[in-house]
Amino acid sequence: MTSSTMSRVRILIDTNVLIALEDPGETEQLVADFARRCLAGAIAIYVHPATLDDFDRDPNQHRRSISESRVSKFLLLAQIPLPPTEELEARFGAIRSQNDRVDVALLHALSINAVDILVSQDIGLRRRVRGGDLEERVITLGDAVAWLKSLQDPADDGLPHISDVPAYSINSRDPIFQSLRLDYNGFSEWWSNKCVAEHRPCWTILGSDGRVHGLVVRKPESGEEIGVASHLRALKLCTFKVADQDQGNKVGELLLRKAIWHALQNGFDLIYLTTLPKQVALLDLIERYGFETTTQNAAGEIVAVKALSRTRLEISGKSDLAEVLRRNYPRFTIRDPVSLFAIPIQWRFHRQLFPEAARLTPMPLFGDKSFDLRQAGQKPGNTIRKVYVCRSFAKTMKAGDVIFFYQSRKDTALHSQAITTVGVVEQVRRAYDYRELSRLTAGRSVYSEGDLEQSIGGAPNGVTIIDFLLIGHLDPVIKIDKLLEGGVLKAPPQAITSIPRESLRTLLPSMNFGFAL
């Protein structure tokens, strides 16, 4: 990594992140990682003058002086004139308090590109940009560390895996249980007497440190457990927990995708969980994907339910298509006016984006049936929201269009020259320099700094950025000979290529997603 490149990226931190960075007590690992990676990449960290307003309202003069001294360690943005309040509210939502005004001031600075990324732990602030053009540029500390890691670290062959294991096989002393015990009285007894004793199935994500980074405990129930028809089958996520050092959307999104697809493919009619109102990060994540959070149980927990429909998704002409698709995930539509596109992708990037579909050709001479990464108990997981960067122009591509990823020729890849994967477009943008590319991909990128430099360096006319939702993988994949025969393609694609609607008859038999298209 070259500091001259990374120094072009400017990060703005909100008050909560500033306090975490300058906490005189023991520094949390996540905060330490963020600070270290910013320093290593020579990334400029800025504080907004409005943050000083937060401190000025503190009636304790001594504490106020300490807080203000913390700000002096960072770069301070100059004062930025704000548009009229009605304009700010039209874009970022209601301003009811001085704290709201500070949040909006930070977002305005981001919107005029005074900074590239805003790092905030404030769910309310991030909700102000949900579904807008700034959404991918307002990220949590956890996602910021994940982004910086993808930029700075060499490619890691150790893909994240979700393991399906019984509760008794999990170390009950793992740090992930600490906050659960604090939040729920009797958690240890419940874990021992229910989860362990009943061999309840769990999904876990283990880190290279051997610790549990993500945990879901699941249990099949009838609908009457949450007051709906008893004949409906419900999948309860008894515990949904992301380790403190992994807070953000990556690990949680990976587990959520696993849970939704498991429920859909195993005949469940709904999926639900209960959580405390203070778990705002979890609530923000699940509401994004269609969980309704309208009731509370006797314990004061919020009950969040997602109905799983298998009927064709109908979309009205006035709908915010990206939001509709997200809330109804994984359902989507292939009906007019949706367009279909094939996107060629090299093996290396295919493996980074879609580890579940990354398979090498079997090598029986080495006693190896296949370098299949999907071994029992070690199934790689994917997040839902992804980004793809390429030099092809995609002038006609729009939100809601369906994209089919075509794995380019790679002799050692099992699915060489085949369409393997389906996604749905959320938005399409163009970037013309490294800084712009970096800020537009930060929220969901798996690309290294070298990858981004290479894409933008040889593209004087800019690159295309496609934000999309990963739907799933074709089963079976469709090889080039069948694609040519069925009229899906006229030749192996070298750029983004339109797929004629009449060729869907070739694609649909492999699109076994469990709902009508």
Side-chain angles (χ1 to χ4, degrees):
M1 174 182 50
T2 59
S3 61
S4 60
T5 296
M6 290 302 296
S7 63
R8 285 178 274 163
V9 179
R10 303 183 183 114
I11 289 180
L12 178 65
I13 57 175
D14 74 356
T15 306
N16 290 332
V17 175
L18 170 63
I19 291 173
L21 285 169
E22 293 301 304
D23 191 333
E26 184 177 352
T27 303
E28 294 183 10
Q29 185 61 47
L30 184 65
V31 177
D33 284 349
F34 174 73
R36 176 175 57 82
R37 289 186 178 278
C38 287
L39 181 62
I43 292 176
I45 301 180
Y46 283 83
V47 173
H48 196 285
T51 300
L52 296 176
D53 298 338
D54 271 350
F55 295 146
D56 286 342
R57 290 193 296 276
D58 189 340
N60 186 311
Q61 183 176 356
H62 176 67
R63 188 169 57 209
R64 187 169 67 243
S65 298
I66 294 175
S67 299
E68 290 172 349
S69 71
R70 292 169 173 169
V71 176
S72 65
K73 299 180 182 180
F74 301 95
L75 296 168
L76 185 66
L77 287 176
Q79 287 287 349
I80 300 174
L82 290 175
T85 297
E86 57 268 23
E87 289 184 24
L88 292 172
E89 289 191 324
R91 182 166 191 187
F92 301 122
I95 302 174
R96 299 188 177 92
S97 66
Q98 190 57 36
N99 285 337
D100 289 348
R101 183 160 289 276
V102 171
D103 288 350
V104 168
L106 269 61
L107 291 172
H108 176 66
L110 186 69
S111 72
I112 65 171
N113 295 331
V115 291
D116 302 304
I117 304 295
L118 170 57
V119 179
S120 172
Q121 299 294 81
D122 186 337
I123 296 296
L125 185 152
R126 299 206 304 277
R127 283 179 173 168
R128 289 180 179 273
V129 294
R130 182 187 290 176
D133 59 334
L134 297 181
E135 181 176 15
E136 303 302 328
R137 295 172 58 190
V138 183
I139 60 180
T140 65
L141 263 174
D143 286 341
V145 170
W147 166 56
L148 293 172
K149 183 177 180 181
S150 69
L151 288 176
Q152 297 172 351
D153 290 357
D156 183 6
D157 289 335
L159 296 168
H161 290 80
I162 296 182
S163 298
D164 194 342
V165 299
Y168 65 77
S169 71
I170 302 172
N171 182 2
S172 61
R173 296 182 180 180
D174 191 282
I176 200 169
F177 291 107
Q178 291 176 0
S179 60
L180 290 169
R181 291 189 175 97
L182 291 174
D183 287 339
Y184 298 98
N185 290 330
F187 176 84
S188 294
E189 291 75 16
W190 174 79
W191 178 258
S192 176
N193 298 333
K194 291 291 185 180
C195 298
V196 172
E198 296 177 4
H199 292 200
R200 284 195 181 173
C202 305
W203 290 306
T204 61
I205 298 174
L206 296 180
S208 57
D209 55 6
R211 293 184 175 182
V212 179
H213 288 222
L215 169 68
V216 170
V217 181
R218 66 186 190 272
K219 179 189 177 189
E221 293 182 346
S222 70
E224 63 184 343
E225 297 285 346
I226 53 171
V228 297
S230 59
H231 71 276
L232 295 178
R233 297 186 66 220
L235 180 68
K236 181 180 182 181
L237 309 182
C238 310
T239 299
F240 193 114
K241 177 66 177 176
V242 174
D244 291 342
Q245 72 269 21
D246 294 295
Q247 290 298 321
N249 289 325
K250 303 294 184 182
V251 172
E253 202 174 271
L254 194 158
L255 289 168
L256 184 62
R257 179 175 184 267
K258 177 70 174 180
I260 291 173
W261 277 101
H262 174 88
L264 187 68
Q265 294 173 345
N266 286 275
F268 288 95
D269 300 293
L270 56 94
I271 182 172
Y272 84 98
L273 57 80
T274 62
T275 189
L276 296 171
K278 73 174 186 177
Q279 301 297 339
V280 289
L282 174 58
L283 289 168
D284 182 59
L285 172 65
I286 61 178
E287 287 172 0
R288 179 190 296 269
Y289 293 106
F291 280 74
E292 299 290 338
T293 56
T294 56
T295 61
Q296 286 193 354
N297 60 19
E301 297 173 308
I302 293 174
V303 181
V305 183
K306 178 179 174 70
L308 298 172
S309 175
R310 290 164 177 79
T311 60
R312 178 181 287 125
L313 180 63
E314 303 292 343
I315 298 177
S316 68
K318 297 181 179 180
S319 301
D320 179 343
L321 194 52
E323 178 67 14
V324 169
L325 289 168
R326 197 181 290 161
R327 293 189 65 81
N328 284 277
Y329 181 85
R331 290 194 301 156
F332 65 102
T333 180
I334 56 173
R335 305 175 75 187
D336 279 325
V338 164
S339 298
L340 316 173
F341 295 91
I343 299 180
I345 179 172
Q346 297 176 16
W347 159 257
R348 181 164 66 92
F349 296 118
H350 188 282
R351 187 177 186 277
Q352 285 177 235
L353 280 173
F354 314 121
E356 288 176 334
R359 299 183 64 179
L360 294 173
T361 302
M363 299 180 66
L365 291 178
F366 293 89
D368 177 13
K369 293 182 179 179
S370 170
F371 283 114
D372 184 355
L373 296 174
R374 297 177 293 179
Q375 300 299 325
Q378 288 290 304
K379 190 168 187 176
N382 279 301
T383 52
I384 299 169
R385 300 160 65 234
K386 292 184 177 291
V387 62
Y388 182 66
V389 177
C390 63
R391 296 180 184 179
S392 296
F393 281 90
K395 292 182 179 179
T396 62
M397 187 180 289
K398 61 188 181 302
D401 286 347
V402 181
I403 48 180
F404 296 83
F405 286 90
Y406 172 89
Q407 186 178 290
S408 299
R409 181 170 180 173
K410 174 76 171 179
D411 291 340
T412 57
L414 184 63
H415 300 321
S416 175
Q417 293 188 286
I419 285 182
T420 65
T421 303
V422 181
V424 177
V425 175
E426 286 192 283
Q427 62 178 337
V428 182
R429 296 170 290 176
R430 294 284 292 178
Y432 297 93
D433 57 44
Y434 176 86
R435 181 177 167 188
E436 186 176 22
L437 178 59
S438 180
R439 69 174 174 239
L440 293 181
T441 59
R444 49 176 105 183
S445 179
V446 297
Y447 298 107
S448 70
E449 180 195 11
D451 293 335
L452 297 181
E453 281 282 13
Q454 184 177 1
S455 358
I456 201 72
N461 296 319
V463 295
T464 297
I465 302 167
I466 303 172
D467 292 330
F468 67 98
L469 301 178
L470 171 63
I471 299 300
H473 309 296
L474 298 187
D475 184 18
V477 303
I478 307 176
K479 292 281 193 175
I480 185 62
D481 54 351
K482 189 172 181 180
L483 295 170
L484 297 175
E485 180 185 342
V488 178
L489 299 171
K490 294 180 179 178
Q494 304 299 312
I496 295 176
T497 303
S498 179
I499 294 177
R501 181 167 297 280
E502 57 269 22
S503 68
L504 272 171
R505 62 183 180 273
T506 301
L507 298 169
L508 283 174
S510 291
M511 297 169 69
N512 306 305
F513 299 134
F515 47 84
L517 290 169

